[in-house]
Amino acid sequence: MVAASTLKTFSVTLRVWRQAGPAAAGGFVDYPAKDISPDMSFLEMLDVVNDELTAKGIEPIAFAHDCREGICGTCSCTINGKPHGPGKGVATCQTYMRSFSDGDTIVVEPFRARAFPVVKDLVTDRAAFDKIQQSGGFITARAGSAPDANALPIPKGDADLAMDAAQCIGCGACVAACKNASAMLFVSAKVGHLGLLPQGQAERDRRVLAMVNTMDTLGFGSCTNQYECSAACPKLISHDFIARMNRDYLTASLRSAFKPAPANTGGGAA
Amino acid sequence: MATLDSKIPSGPLADKWRKHKTEIKLVNPANKRKYEVIVVGAGLAGSSAASSLADLGYKVKCFVFHDSPRRAHSIAAQGGINAAKNYQNDGDSVHRLFYDTLKGGDYRAREANVHRLAEVSVNIIDQCVAQGVPFAREYGGLLANRSFGGAQVSRTFYARGQTGQQLLLGAYSALSRMVGAGAVDLHTNSEMLDLVVVGGQAKGVIIRNLVTGEISRHSADAVILATGGYGNVFNLSTYARGSNTTAIWRAYKRGACMANPCYTQIHPTCIPVSGDYQSKLTLMSESLRNDGRIWAPKKAGDTRAPAAIPESERDYYLERLYPSFGNLAPRDIASRAAKRICDEGRGVGSTGLGVYLDFADAINRLGEPAVRERYGNLFDIYHEITAESAYKAPMRIYPAVHYTMGGLWVDYNLMSNIPGLFVLGEANFSDHGANRLGASALMQGLADGYFVIPYTIGDYLAGQKPGSRPAADAPEFRQAEADVRGQTTRFLATKGKQPVSHFHKKLGKIMWDRCGMARTKAGLEAALQEIPALREEFNASVNVPGSADTLNQSLEKAGRVADFLDLGELMCRDALTREESCGGHFREEHQYPDGECKRDDEKFGHVAAWEYQGEGKTPVRNTEPLNYEFTKMSLRNYK
Ligand code: SF4
Ligand code: FES
């Protein structure tokens, strides 16, 4: 099985960020990538280059990837200055070499943000996103305690809008694209998804307050409404969710300011 | 010889689970926090198990090799999840889902397990909706359903083409809640490299931190493996690149039996291979077969563009061969049919390894906007990868490795033959027999994690004295750690000529050619020569650059490919011994004149559970008879 012989291969130069570890200084190094088929994915091109480096006794370029179909959110390269590269609405792994031309120099860096320290080369630590989720990104529903799924009809429009937000893959491109390294799009997607559903109402105030406060303490910047985030987002999550979250946050802050805190919240786990 | 007691409860099929739940031992609530449970893996099965057990009060440690539990490959499941809700009033029932799943598995699964799966399927949907999973809905606000291969009712719940993602994010949110509450101790970037068995019971694991290289020992009262399937033994598959067999393989080497390893699912609708650099095959959801029609030219070697081939010269072969199921024939049957077409020289595309999946009729009937609404995201994926529009020309598809029905042997409680070792989800062998029906992997992962293990683990733990787990510096732990370190050092010291990928590709090719969609005695015997030779070459000449004390992706891959080499050999051995055809296991010697699977219930109506005997020794094949008390093993017919 070989590539269709009608396709012409080409060559590019990769200018890649190499950094040995979190504390090491990093810098760009150039590598040639030859005989590239336009049908190759960007990550397959990196695989080929890495095998060549290994053969030469050079340590291969570390890069994050897993599903290679745009759903797990692991891949995270900034390509020619753009998180996830030139394509609209795709992740790094869904970027194909047909987007580039013979002789190009392609600059590849990790997602840059204060809250995402570099682990090695193109790999960053995005554990901050998990911490935000742990602070409130859920609806409490113990297994075994749920009512019948059709007991609560949900208007199709609400369910569809919730799904639009729920598609977020947690990649962090929104943070990398933002000059303030704000995580507003990511957080607003989760707050929007759960807050749009009737099941999510009981914890709605608590959720938005906790998630936004955690985001602030983890070193993400604030939003100045430039919307670079949604432009870079592989799932094209709309920045309307940010406005929605701002309203939610305000209401929740007001309500919690006027509501006396219950003296005893009981023995529940969370 | 291992003893394989399936522990299937007595009594009528529909009462077994209910009865079992009331009869198994319970752990008293005050004692639960004295037990520590290790969960390895955080996909649907692992996350749902870890969060549910923590909710019950157990102390849970969860290890996942990904940088976040939300990355696990359950996330990539597209089509849906089955449940016997009968919301469509189209005649569905628990019994019908049970029967379809058992038949779909070509009568090679346990009746009692499959029935339980069908029973709890309804609870899963309730649970997921309560968590906020945004399933598709009708205009009236009720849940929508679609139909899927191998079924004649609409029982599949879905969230656009991203059902696995939404279910996983639901389970991840439950897990996150318990991590935030301090009830689950979560370790990301942590790969399990060995199982520790003390006094014949599973009592811990050895973990390598993939970022720092640190190797650590962890003891517990019980260990749960929920580490997914091993389809990457074929190198090219629809799995994520990181999916691997290491956790279950190392448990096998510590004595857990590996059941039916040769049962592999080859999914009929994937995007064909385009070149030898290929790293990944992308699935096009089975749901496309609801509206797409599969065809190939009638003439061999017909290179005309699809639009230039008149209706009369097209062969809609699934509709022709299986009139009652048509394009919705089960996966194994649809895949083999595509292979036969291509073997006859009627394949399409530049490689000749493809058939058409055509939406022209659906677009005529429903209009393009309706087709876009149903399948738009899948058409987009197809366009990204091939630069072709499926609105204008038919998709080209070809079968690809997608799921493994085999896995570690477990009893009805999901416990392996090593007491204290539980195995959930795709990592076990229990529910899908020789072929899995669409939309039932998600169902099984969540059934095991939310609704089975929370009950059955108590039965084991109640027999363990609280506080009796061994310390993590017991000699067995030290030995296992030394073994892991030894392997790491060996890989780095080999300094050979070939990257790990070289061996993975070669192994993949052997497996696909010899142990793929069609298998023969001669081919399998050849593979049993080729794989050990490849392993020797790997040991002598693999090149793993870098060091052990940082992120080293070559080192990670070396360990996984070493295990795939061993597993691949066992799969071929299993396929060679199983002298029949059933589900995804097709032996060319055993077929009916029309090319359908010829089972041999007399000789092979059993589970084969392989038991490790040591390096270089032939493993022992144990069997567990499949006693069908309520169903007749009959000829599977979709015509
Ligand atoms: S909002 Fe978009 S860019 Fe941000 S994490 Fe989610 S998917 Fe990625
Ligand atoms: S590798 Fe999974 S989204 Fe790119």
Side-chain angles (χ1 to χ4, degrees), chain A residues 43 64-75 91-94 169:
Chain A
L43 298 185
H65 67 98
D66 199 28
C67 74
R68 298 201 177 195
E69 53 181 295
I71 195 75
C72 72
T74 310
C75 62
T92 306
C93 60
Q94 298 166 293
I169 60 173

Side-chain angles (χ1 to χ4, degrees), chain A residues 5-207:
Chain A
S5 51
T6 48
L7 292 172
K8 258 182 69 115
T9 61
F10 63 99
S11 301
V12 296
T13 302
L14 287 185
R15 182 160 296 162
V16 183
W17 185 261
R18 303 292 321 244
Q19 181 173 337
F28 284 103
V29 182
D30 285 5
Y31 302 107
K34 296 204 190 82
D35 300 325
I36 301 301
S37 154
D39 276 346
M40 267 184 183
S41 75
F42 185 79
L43 298 185
E44 284 167 345
M45 182 273 298
L46 283 182
D47 290 338
V48 171
V49 169
N50 269 346
D51 279 352
E52 286 166 9
L53 293 180
T54 305
K56 286 192 205 137
I58 301 171
E59 219 188 304
I61 304 157
F63 64 94
H65 67 98
D66 199 28
C67 74
R68 298 201 177 195
E69 53 181 295
I71 195 75
C72 72
T74 310
C75 62
S76 43
C77 293
T78 295
I79 305 170
N80 289 337
K82 289 192 153 171
H84 289 314
K88 197 173 151 60
V90 293
T92 306
C93 60
Q94 298 166 293
T95 301
Y96 282 77
M97 292 310 290
R98 65 179 79 94
S99 311
F100 304 95
S101 316
D102 192 43
D104 281 0
T105 294
I106 308 175
V107 183
V108 195
E109 301 165 81
F111 280 2
R112 308 254 186 216
R114 187 153 63 100
F116 294 163
V118 173
V119 172
K120 186 172 183 172
D121 298 339
L122 304 174
V123 181
T124 54
D125 177 356
R126 289 164 287 174
F129 270 10
D130 284 335
K131 296 216 175 76
I132 296 175
Q133 295 275 4
Q134 289 155 12
S135 71
F138 47 76
I139 292 172
T140 300
R142 201 178 338 100
S145 63
D148 184 83
N150 257 350
L152 188 66
I154 300 176
K156 187 175 182 326
D158 291 354
D160 284 348
L161 193 57
M163 181 64 197
D164 287 346
Q167 292 188 81
C168 163
I169 60 173
C171 62
C174 46
V175 177
C178 173
K179 66 178 170 42
N180 308 318
S182 166
M184 286 292 270
L185 191 63
F186 166 76
V187 178
S188 72
K190 189 48 50 183
V191 165
H193 156 211
L194 299 177
L196 274 158
L197 298 172
Q199 308 90 298
Q201 298 312 308
E203 291 161 303
R204 184 168 173 178
D205 287 0
R206 236 188 87 213
R207 177 182 313 119

Side-chain angles (χ1 to χ4, degrees), chain B residues 518-529:
Chain B
R519 303 154 176 191
T520 62
K521 181 165 189 286
L524 292 163
E525 280 171 349
L528 288 174
Q529 304 291 318

